[in-house]
């Protein structure tokens, strides 16, 4: 009897030891999710644009794909397009980790391979949800590390500070961002650039949003010195479909969309690009 009691006690201790870390982990995740919900409740619920930076704080795993057609009529597939894991730890902030995209060429002599790893830190300066003003102002700093293979990434790291803002009127909103890309070395060879993106969105239905983007880039130094390229990007986004729609506190959901970048400037590194986005919101 004593041996049986001892064995049961030992089993109970093992189960308790296994349950405590699991409970602690569950508690940490629950508090993180609650904090993210509270943080996002004070900002508009606009859909993230297909190409342009997003001014709001978002917690998502994002995998995008694009197919670029060059002036020489060759196409390049980009699996990832510099997206990845976005986390909202609270405190009006967001931190991102961008996995290296895989780039597949269909041009003679070009080698396929992975691009660069990226990181981003964003801070929300001002915000109000749709009931209290419907606007947003934020700032972010992105950085890349030259991890690319076979010239599919940069030769040096870069830093990209950006200012982001947006204003909504009912179902319509306009988002704009202005930022620059600054290499940390080989500036003469790589050059610098300034990007200005503006997105107009109209939500037709709870799950359906139409958008038009204008993506402009000016180059200073490097092989494209003095040039400017502009893309017009119509698209649509379907979001977000909750896994548990009956539960108002449930966060997991999916979103997806697509569009096409169309070159509208005389200089352009590619003619047009099909863009697809898939997002797991949590």
């Amino acid at each position: 009897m004593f041996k049986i009691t001892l064995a049961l006690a030992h089993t109970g201790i093992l189960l308790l030891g296994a349950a405590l870390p699991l409970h602690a982990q569950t508690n940490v995740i629950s508090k993180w999710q609650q904090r993210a919900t509270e943080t996002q409740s004070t900002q508009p619920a606009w859909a993230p644009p297909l190409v342009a930076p997003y001014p709001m704080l978002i917690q998502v795993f994002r995998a995008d794909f694009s197919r670029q057609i060059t002036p020489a009529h060759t196409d390049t597939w980009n699996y990832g397009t510099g997206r990845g894991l976005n986390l909202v730890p609270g405190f009006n902030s967001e931190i991102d980790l961008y996995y290296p995209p895989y780039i597949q060429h269909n041009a003679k002599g070009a080698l396929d391979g992975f691009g660069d790893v990226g990181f981003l830190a964003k801070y929300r300066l001002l915000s109000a949800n749709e009931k209290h003003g419907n606007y947003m102002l934020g700032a972010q700093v992105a950085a890349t590390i030259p991890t690319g293979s076979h010239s599919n990434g940069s030769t040096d790291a870069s830093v990209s500070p950006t200012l982001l803002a947006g204003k909504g009127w009912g179902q319509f909103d306009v988002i704009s961002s202005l930022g620059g890309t600054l290499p940390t070395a080989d500036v003469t060879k790589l050059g610098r650039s300034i990007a200005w993106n503006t997105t107009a969105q109209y939500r037709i239905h709870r799950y359906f949003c139409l958008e038009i983007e204008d993506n402009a880039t000016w180059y200073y130094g490097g092989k494209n010195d003095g040039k400017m390229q502009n893309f017009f990007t119509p698209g649509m986004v379907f979001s977000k479909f909750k896994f548990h729609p009956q539960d108002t506190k449930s966060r997991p959901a999916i979103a997806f969309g697509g569009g096409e970048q169309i070159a509208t400037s005389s200089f352009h590194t590619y003619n047009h690009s099909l863009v697809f986005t898939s997002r797991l919101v949590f």
Side-chain angles (χ1 to χ4, degrees), residues 123-169:
Y123 187 77
R124 191 177 65 190
L125 300 170
L126 296 170
S127 71
N129 60 28
E130 287 82 350
K131 295 181 179 180
H132 299 91
N134 205 12
Y135 61 83
M136 176 69 192
L137 176 65
Q140 68 181 36
V141 177
T144 61
I145 298 175
T147 58
S149 59
H150 307 305
S151 301
N152 288 297
S154 178
T155 57
D156 294 279
S158 67
V159 178
S160 302
T162 303
L163 186 65
L164 315 101
K167 179 69 176 76
W169 298 269

Side-chain angles (χ1 to χ4, degrees), residues 71-92:
H73 302 291
T74 61
D75 65 317
T76 300
W77 277 95
N78 188 317
Y79 303 95
T81 68
R83 307 298 184 180
L85 180 65
N86 303 22
L87 296 172
V88 179
F91 318 108
N92 294 330

